[in-house]
Amino acid sequence: MIERVINNFSLEQICKSGQCFRMYPTETGRYSLIADRHYLQVEQRDGRTVFYCERSEFENYWEAYFDLQADYGFYMGKIIPEDCYLNEAAEFGSGIRILRQDLWEMIVSFLISQQNNILRIRKCIENICGSYGEKLVGSQGEEYYAFPTPQTLAALEEDALMACNLGYRSKYVVRAARNIADGQCDLENIRRLPYSEAREELLKLYGVGEKVADCICLFALHHLEAFPVDTHIRQAMENHYRQGFPSEHYQGCQGVLQQYIFYYELAGGK
C-alpha cells in the first residue's frame, strides 16, 4: 500500500474524462483499474491517495501511468487570465491527468470510440477482453482479463467482433490487428517518433482518422501537443474560439487544456 498527497489529482475526474475505459468506481469507494496486464485498486480519502499495490509496482508502472511527476498547476498557470471560459474549465477539471496508456489498447479503444459514447465503449472493451484476453489473477486474488494481443485479434474474421457489440467497427479493429501482427505497422517504431510523424503513421491504419490519431497520440504516446477535436471540442471552439484556439500560446500542453475543455463540456460544467 502506497499513500501520497497529490495536487491536481482526482480519481473521479480521471475516470469520467473519456481517456481510459477500464477504470470503475467500486461499492467500497475505491476505483478498480486494469491497464495492459496490471490491476490496481486505488482510493482517495482525507486528502490522500492510497494505491493498493507494492512499492515496486507503483514506482515502475503506476507513477508514470498517472503522470504523477508532472506539475499540472504549471499548465493551469499558463492559461491567459482574460480567457474566462478556459480558466473555468481548468478549475472544473483540475484533477485530470493525461494518462500514459498502452499504445495497442488505445488504438483499439479509439477505433471503437467513433460514433459511440463512453458507456458503450466501456462495454465493448469489457466484451473483447472477456472473450479474447488472457485471464489473470491479482495479488489479492482478483480475477481479471488482460487486453487481447494484436496477434489474437488478427486471427479473427473481420465481423467476429460484432458479437462484442462493435458493429461496423469490428473490421477496423481486426484490420488494424492484422497490420500490426504482419509487421506493416510497427508499434515500437511509432513509440519512438515525434508527434507529427507518429500521427502520420497512425493515419495509415484502416479506420483511423485525424481525431482518433490525435487521441492515440495524446493518451498513449503522451504527445501533449495533440489536440483531438470531437463534437464536444468543436462545439466549444464555435462558441468560444471563433478565431481559432490560441495554440501558439500553449505549445507543449495543448492536450492538457483539451481535456479540461472536453470534461467541462461533457460533464455539464459550462
Side-chain angles (χ1 to χ4, degrees):
M1 184 177 74
I2 306 296
E3 290 193 20
R4 290 286 188 274
V5 175
I6 308 168
N7 295 326
N8 304 119
F9 185 74
S10 166
L11 294 172
E12 179 182 7
Q13 291 182 4
I14 291 170
C15 183
K16 295 179 177 179
S17 66
Q19 57 176 310
C20 60
F21 304 103
R22 304 191 76 192
M23 181 177 183
Y24 299 93
T26 70
E27 294 179 354
T28 64
R30 298 179 183 179
Y31 284 82
S32 66
L33 173 59
I34 304 169
D36 194 11
R37 297 174 62 85
H38 298 265
Y39 176 88
L40 177 70
Q41 286 202 10
V42 56
E43 67 177 333
Q44 290 185 296
R45 62 188 186 199
D46 302 325
R48 302 179 71 83
T49 303
V50 183
F51 301 84
Y52 291 91
C53 63
E54 296 295 328
R55 179 175 299 277
S56 58
E57 184 176 11
F58 174 78
E59 294 177 349
N60 294 329
Y61 190 81
W62 295 113
E63 189 170 33
Y65 178 90
F66 285 112
D67 201 24
L68 297 183
Q69 295 292 337
D71 178 5
Y72 278 67
F74 171 77
Y75 300 138
M76 296 172 68
K78 291 176 66 69
I79 298 173
I80 298 168
E82 294 75 20
D83 191 337
C84 295
Y85 170 76
L86 188 52
N87 275 287
E88 289 174 6
E91 182 177 358
F92 184 79
S94 62
I96 293 173
R97 299 253 161 172
I98 305 299
L99 305 179
R100 296 177 183 271
Q101 301 181 82
D102 178 71
L103 176 55
W104 167 236
E105 183 171 342
M106 290 300 96
I107 290 172
V108 175
S109 297
F110 285 99
L111 281 172
I112 293 171
S113 76
Q114 298 176 82
Q115 302 297 314
N116 221 338
N117 62 54
I118 291 174
L119 288 177
R120 288 183 61 192
I121 298 166
R122 287 181 184 276
K123 188 60 178 177
C124 289
I125 293 173
E126 182 181 318
N127 292 341
I128 291 174
C129 294
S131 298
Y132 300 103
E134 180 185 352
K135 189 174 183 178
L136 301 171
V137 179
S139 59
Q140 302 301 314
E142 314 93 347
E143 293 184 350
Y144 63 101
Y145 292 90
F147 201 84
T149 66
Q151 291 73 20
T152 297
L153 298 186
L156 302 177
E157 297 294 329
E158 286 194 356
D159 62 354
L161 296 177
M162 287 185 175
C164 295
N165 297 326
L166 268 67
Y168 68 88
R169 305 169 196 86
S170 176
K171 64 178 178 292
Y172 295 169
V173 174
V174 173
R175 291 189 187 184
R178 290 176 180 172
N179 286 156
I180 293 165
D182 66 17
Q184 292 184 51
C185 177
D186 185 343
L187 297 186
E188 289 304 317
N189 179 57
I190 291 175
R191 288 187 180 97
R192 293 190 292 266
L193 295 175
Y195 165 59
S196 60
E197 294 178 31
R199 189 175 189 269
E200 287 303 311
E201 287 301 310
L202 291 166
L203 286 168
K204 295 176 183 179
L205 290 171
Y206 182 73
V208 172
E210 292 185 355
K211 189 270 286 190
V212 170
D214 276 328
C215 285
I216 298 166
C217 283
L218 183 58
F219 303 129
L221 302 174
H222 213 71
H223 292 307
L224 297 185
E225 61 267 52
F227 193 91
V229 178
D230 73 336
T231 54
H232 296 288
I233 297 298
R234 188 171 293 109
Q235 178 179 320
M237 295 302 105
E238 291 172 354
N239 291 338
H240 302 282
Y241 300 101
R242 290 186 175 274
Q243 304 303 314
F245 187 73
S247 293
E248 67 283 352
H249 182 79
Y250 302 116
Q251 291 297 318
C253 65
Q254 297 98 313
V256 177
L257 304 182
Q258 185 271 357
Q259 272 290 275
Y260 293 147
I261 295 171
F262 177 83
Y263 182 74
Y264 193 55
E265 295 288 324
L266 183 70
K270 56 189 182 300

